[in-house]
Amino acid sequence: MKDENTSGRKGPAFLVAADDPTKNSVTNTISLFIDENKQYIQYGFYTLGAIGIIKMGHSVRAFSRFVHASDIPDQFFRDRVQIYVRVKSADISAYKSENVPKLTVSHIPIIQTPFTKNSELNQNLSLLLPGLHIHPEYLEKARELLSKETSAKKLKVCLLERHENDAIVEARIVNRLRRNTVVGTSLLYEGFGKISGNCGLMSSNYLNVLQRSEDKARRWKRGIWEAKTQGSPAALYKSYSSRLFAYLKSFVKW
């Protein structure tokens, strides 16, 4: 016959022999308490774990959306924290007497909640990308190419410094199947500008990628490099060769 006091319990009760010398010990008492309240203790650990995760998320601003550069903590710039953003528009803007790419983006937080997923329309975080200087004659072409290259793209940006209402960053386009692309390399490759003098904050790896694009434009005489090499020996040789070819062609026809 079942004891009325234990008939409502789930699972076997924690039993101790009558002649057990540890029956009234502290260890036995704790073991009995844990056995009888195992489920509640388990729920308590789950709750503490959830609270810890939430506190950790708040400490790294995992749930926060940065609407303006002023919303980004100073520590993020000092630590060069990397965040993800989505491009809304692109332009060329002035920065320390140079023309540099400027992107208006929406910040993508580490953890998105139902309350923040649909709030990108109100995000207008402004980013400046030094490291290259666009020549005044190519501003419109650079603006069109930059817009085409970055429109609605997801970027991984490294925070460097706050400048008035803008954040100074290094930016890379996130590609799923290939290496991330440094924003601005296509502008240098087309010869629309050159490496900036305001690049003291940029990493050497980032600048090396930009430098390789400028070197290719210089080698293939694109954009500003074509205009600068008109009087060079290579340009004169090309002009002489063209005239010689035209003369030989007319001689053959004659």
Side-chain angles (χ1 to χ4, degrees), residues 38-243:
K38 186 186 301 181
Q39 191 172 16
Y40 299 107
I41 293 173
Q42 191 174 24
Y43 289 157
F45 280 123
Y46 290 158
T47 302
L48 289 175
I51 293 173
I53 291 174
I54 293 173
K55 284 190 174 182
M56 183 175 64
H58 280 295
S59 66
V60 299
R61 306 292 291 272
F63 303 94
S64 301
R65 277 189 181 275
F66 303 134
V67 182
H68 307 290
S70 57
D71 298 335
I72 304 175
D74 293 338
Q75 189 66 38
F76 278 39
F77 290 101
R78 289 194 292 268
D79 295 342
R80 297 195 169 213
V81 171
Q82 296 182 345
I83 63 174
Y84 287 96
V85 301
R86 192 170 302 280
V87 179
K88 300 176 68 175
S89 63
D91 200 356
I92 305 297
S93 181
Y95 171 70
K96 294 185 178 179
S97 303
E98 293 185 339
N99 302 314
V100 303
K102 180 177 182 178
L103 303 176
T104 301
V105 303
S106 58
H107 172 225
I108 304 173
I110 299 174
I111 300 176
Q112 297 194 64
T113 65
F115 302 100
T116 60
K117 280 186 177 180
N118 299 322
S119 61
E120 289 191 14
L121 294 176
N122 300 322
Q123 306 293 315
N124 290 294
L125 180 61
S126 181
L127 308 178
L128 287 177
L129 285 66
L132 63 158
H133 171 46
I134 304 301
H135 193 278
E137 294 182 7
Y138 293 93
L139 289 178
E140 190 59 35
K141 289 184 177 180
R143 186 179 294 110
E144 292 177 1
L145 181 57
L146 183 64
S147 298
K148 181 180 179 181
E149 182 184 51
T150 62
S151 179
K153 293 291 181 65
K154 183 179 180 181
L155 306 182
K156 183 179 183 180
V157 303
C158 178
L159 301 171
L160 302 178
E161 187 180 55
R162 187 186 292 108
H163 176 73
E164 297 178 355
N165 297 322
D166 306 312
I168 308 301
V169 302
E170 295 177 353
R172 293 173 172 85
I173 300 174
V174 176
N175 299 310
R176 292 183 178 180
L177 302 178
R178 57 191 177 90
R179 194 173 183 179
N180 293 346
T181 306
V182 172
V183 176
T185 51
S186 60
L187 304 181
L188 292 177
Y189 179 76
E190 294 298 330
F192 295 160
K194 59 182 181 179
I195 295 294
S196 167
N198 298 315
C199 55
L201 296 172
M202 323 299 286
S203 66
S204 57
N205 290 337
Y206 192 86
L207 290 175
N208 287 339
V209 175
L210 294 177
Q211 186 62 61
R212 286 196 292 270
S213 295
E214 180 184 306
D215 292 342
K216 291 177 181 178
R218 192 194 302 264
R219 186 182 310 120
W220 294 104
K221 313 262 187 315
R222 296 175 182 269
I224 60 174
W225 307 111
E226 179 182 7
K228 287 187 177 182
T229 55
Q230 291 297 322
S232 65
L236 295 174
Y237 175 77
K238 183 178 180 181
S239 177
Y240 171 77
S241 300
S242 300
R243 292 198 303 270

Side-chain angles (χ1 to χ4, degrees), residues 9-26:
R9 292 179 180 175
K10 295 182 180 179
F14 187 87
L15 301 177
V16 181
D19 58 347
D20 190 339
T22 64
K23 182 176 180 180
N24 298 319
S25 67
V26 175

